[in-house]
Amino acid sequence: MKKITKAVFPVAGLGTRFLPATKAIPKEMLPVIDKPLIEYAVEEAVLAGIEEIIFITSHTKRSIQDHFDKNLELEEKLLKSDKIEAFQKINRKIFQNTTFTYVKQKSQKGLGHAILQAKHLIQNESFAILLADDLIINDPSATQQLINVALKTNTSVVGLNKVPKEHISRYGVISSADIPKHEKLFLLNGIIEKPQSNPPSNLAVFGRYVLSHHIFDYLEKIDPGFAGEIQLTDAIKLMLEDHDINGYLYDGIKFDCGSKEGYVKAIAHLASDMLS
Ligand code: G1P
């Protein structure tokens, strides 16, 4: 497998769970302390060696583009008044060689449909997917851990988290016949999106993937699944018929910032240093 340099960020969702906050502001732009949620995930990707960030976006998400674009007027003002620290916060060194690409998803037909919009930009490479709602704190990051496993095993890898029974129906859930090769790596033999009964395991897909470009062939073949949407999970399931795919229980403190509870917990966690 070649070096992984591209990451797809699906950010076209409506953010209904955070209304009214998300009426005029994309949910990805909600601040976690002083940084928008999306910047945590972009930072994670770039530090893991990603050079091109591909946002799958919609017409209501203009501010994400503005956020990763230059604001020359503000930069000039900050420099003139010697506010170097503030200048560095809006002109981050780590993003200097990063390309930001935006693809508009004209209709919202699900996560799988969103990923399919990046097909022409990925071509024959493996790539990362980051769902920015899932904020994961660790060093090495979740993305870095998955990239390492993908390169080592030469397979696609989905990031996993152990989830209690009462919450498992919110996630894509994997099954694995194998005794794990080591306690964190699971060779998939099945995956199902949001099982409403009899989940095959307590291992949920959580916010990070490294997939080979073959996924696009399967995304093009599948019918709408759970909630009438084109599900990435269903394409992964079909891909399993022809390709090995591993699940990796990555390390990190995980916050599901798509829910209010997770969002508040993320803020409380990051704020605890400030309060002590
Ligand atoms: C998506 C995926 C699901 C995954 C979850 C968390 O669901 O479809 O398989 O487990 O993200 O990463 P969503 O939370 O967008 O409904």
Side-chain angles (χ1 to χ4, degrees):
M1 192 181 285
K2 269 183 24 195
K3 195 176 162 217
I4 292 155
T5 61
K6 293 178 182 172
V8 178
F9 282 65
V11 292
L14 291 176
T16 38
R17 277 189 275 181
F18 280 86
L19 284 169
T22 50
K23 186 180 172 196
I25 298 168
K27 66 171 173 176
E28 295 81 5
M29 290 301 292
L30 293 178
V32 176
I33 318 280
D34 58 355
K35 257 196 292 189
L37 186 53
I38 186 81
E39 193 171 326
Y40 287 88
V42 169
E43 194 175 290
E44 174 182 329
V46 170
L47 291 174
I50 298 298
E51 293 162 10
E52 181 172 1
I53 305 279
I54 302 164
F55 290 109
I56 311 300
T57 181
S58 76
H59 67 284
T60 59
K61 305 276 174 144
R62 177 77 218 181
S63 57
I64 296 181
Q65 194 160 346
D66 290 342
H67 184 74
F68 290 102
D69 209 347
K70 281 203 154 296
N71 181 336
L72 291 175
E73 201 187 331
L74 181 58
E75 284 184 14
E76 218 169 276
K77 278 189 184 149
L78 292 173
L79 282 178
K80 264 192 192 149
S81 48
D82 234 11
K83 295 190 166 145
I84 304 300
E85 211 179 302
F87 170 81
Q88 284 166 344
K89 281 189 175 163
I90 62 156
N91 189 348
R92 300 196 56 191
K93 263 204 189 119
I94 59 162
F95 298 157
Q96 252 153 33
N97 297 316
T98 310
T99 306
F100 294 96
T101 306
Y102 300 86
V103 180
K104 280 217 174 103
Q105 187 185 9
K106 290 188 192 94
S107 51
Q108 317 289 298
K109 294 184 190 160
L111 177 59
H113 181 254
I115 301 302
L116 191 51
Q117 311 307 304
K119 181 182 175 189
H120 64 293
L121 296 166
I122 301 293
Q123 297 183 344
N124 289 331
E125 294 168 51
S126 290
F127 63 104
I129 298 173
L130 288 90
L131 308 184
D133 276 1
D134 296 322
L135 175 61
I136 302 145
I137 299 170
N138 203 38
D139 185 16
S141 70
T143 300
Q144 185 68 67
Q145 294 174 55
L146 291 199
I147 288 178
N148 293 348
V149 174
L151 293 176
K152 210 167 172 183
T153 58
N154 203 21
T155 62
S156 296
V157 183
V158 298
L160 298 177
N161 185 24
K162 274 189 187 155
V163 167
K165 252 197 191 134
E166 62 272 26
H167 294 151
I168 198 81
S169 63
R170 296 179 190 169
Y171 298 95
V173 183
I174 68 135
S175 54
S176 167
D178 271 5
I179 311 280
K181 289 181 209 127
H182 67 89
E183 59 187 12
K184 287 161 164 281
L185 192 63
F186 301 83
L187 185 64
L188 267 61
N189 70 0
I191 186 165
I192 176 169
E193 181 67 8
K194 304 194 171 80
Q196 297 305 296
S197 57
N198 303 322
S201 73
N202 64 346
L203 297 171
V205 177
F206 201 79
R208 302 291 184 272
Y209 309 74
V210 172
L211 298 177
S212 89
H213 62 92
H214 295 295
I215 193 69
F216 296 115
D217 301 340
Y218 302 95
L219 282 169
E220 277 169 341
K221 276 187 205 153
I222 54 169
D223 293 319
F226 186 84
E229 296 183 342
I230 303 287
Q231 296 290 352
L232 179 59
T233 300
D234 294 343
I236 293 174
K237 186 176 174 195
L238 198 58
M239 186 163 142
L240 273 176
E241 292 179 8
D242 308 314
H243 299 269
D244 277 355
I245 302 176
N246 278 297
Y248 186 68
L249 210 46
Y250 57 80
D251 292 316
I253 309 173
K254 307 174 183 83
F255 301 100
D256 175 4
C257 293
S259 75
K260 280 180 214 167
E261 191 195 339
Y263 177 68
V264 170
K265 280 186 178 161
I267 294 176
H269 176 84
L270 290 168
S272 56
D273 287 347
M274 299 164 83
L275 299 173
S276 57

